Amino acid sequence: MMERTKISGHSGTQFKHRKGFEGRKLWVQEQMRTQGKVSDEGYAPRKVAKGYPRWVYYLLLVAASLMLLFFVVQFWGASAEAVDRYRSEIASNVERERYSNYNNLLKLAEGSLEREYWDDAVQDFGRLKQTFPENWRVNVGLAKALVGKCVADGQSCQQAREQLAYCYSLPNKQEDILEQLEKQLVD
C-alpha cells in the first residue's frame, strides 16, 4: 500500500472550517427567527438594547437644544448689534456728507456775494435756506445778496425787506449787521 504523504502547509482543515461556519449560520438564523416568539400569541417586542436609561438620552437632547438656543440667541444679538452699528454709520456718513455739501455751497455762495454776482448768490443762498432754514449765516447771506441786488439794480427790494424781517426774528441774531443792511436798503 501506498502511504499517503502529507502536503506541506495543507491539513485539510478548510473543509472543516466551512462546515463549522455553515452550522453557526444556521444556528444564528434559528435564534433570530425565534428570538421574539411568545407561545401562540404572536411575536413579542424585541429586547431593548442594554445601555443608559432613556432619561439620560432625553437629558442629553434637552442640553443640546439649550446649547443650540444659546448660540442662536448670541448670533441674533450680535447680528442686531451689527445692523444697529451699520445704520448709525450710514446716518453719520449722511450727516457728514450733508455738512460737507453745506460748507462747499456756503463758500460758493459767499464767493458770489464778494464778487457781487447777486443773482448767483441769491440762488445759492436760496438753496441753502431750503435745507437749513434756521441757519444764521445762510439767512444773513441771503439778506446781503437781496439788499445788494436791490441797491445795484433796484430789483427784489420787497424780498430784501422780508428777509431782513425774518433775520430779526431768528434767535441768535447779530443786530449790528442787520442794522447796516437796513441802512443800505434805505439809502
Side-chain angles (χ1 to χ4, degrees):
M1 256 187 101
M2 220 167 158
E3 198 174 311
R4 290 192 182 221
T5 59
K6 279 185 144 188
I7 301 172
S8 67
H10 182 60
S11 63
T13 57
Q14 76 269 18
F15 299 113
K16 295 177 189 170
H17 289 272
R18 187 177 297 153
K19 191 175 180 184
F21 177 73
E22 287 174 5
R24 174 81 175 147
K25 180 178 167 187
L26 291 174
W27 181 80
V28 167
Q29 286 175 349
E30 181 66 23
Q31 288 296 318
M32 289 175 66
R33 189 169 49 83
T34 62
Q35 179 179 5
K37 275 208 171 187
V38 176
S39 59
D40 293 328
E41 292 142 17
Y43 290 97
R46 292 188 177 254
K47 294 179 183 176
V48 175
K50 291 187 178 182
Y52 297 106
R54 284 190 179 181
W55 64 270
V56 172
Y57 293 113
Y58 291 133
L59 184 65
L60 288 174
L61 181 64
V62 168
S65 299
L66 287 175
M67 286 193 316
L68 181 65
L69 181 66
F70 173 76
F71 286 118
V72 165
V73 167
Q74 290 296 321
F75 175 73
W76 189 270
S79 65
E81 288 173 8
V83 167
D84 289 343
R85 192 171 44 248
Y86 180 70
R87 285 183 180 165
S88 66
E89 239 178 78
I90 288 175
S92 67
N93 287 344
V94 165
E95 195 65 25
R96 194 176 316 119
E97 186 71 24
R98 182 176 175 224
Y99 278 104
S100 172
N101 290 342
Y102 164 76
N103 288 332
N104 291 338
L105 193 55
L106 188 64
K107 287 178 187 175
L108 181 69
E110 288 175 347
S112 297
L113 192 62
E114 287 176 10
R115 288 187 296 275
E116 298 180 357
Y117 297 142
W118 306 121
D119 291 328
D120 293 341
V122 168
Q123 286 179 349
D124 293 339
F125 280 116
R127 274 190 251 134
L128 279 169
K129 186 173 179 178
Q130 289 174 353
T131 308
F132 303 95
E134 300 293 319
N135 190 301
W136 167 253
R137 287 179 68 184
V138 171
N139 284 298
V140 143
L142 182 59
K144 286 180 183 178
L146 288 170
V147 167
K149 188 174 181 181
C150 178
V151 169
D153 301 334
Q155 299 175 348
S156 305
C157 294
Q158 182 60 33
Q159 290 176 339
R161 286 186 189 90
E162 291 171 2
Q163 184 62 31
L164 278 173
Y166 181 75
C167 288
Y168 274 115
S169 69
L170 291 174
N172 53 353
K173 59 185 173 250
Q174 296 175 354
E175 293 197 22
D176 56 335
I177 294 174
L178 294 175
E179 289 171 359
Q180 289 175 357
L181 288 174
E182 200 171 350
K183 185 178 176 188
Q184 285 179 0
L185 192 59
V186 172
D187 291 340

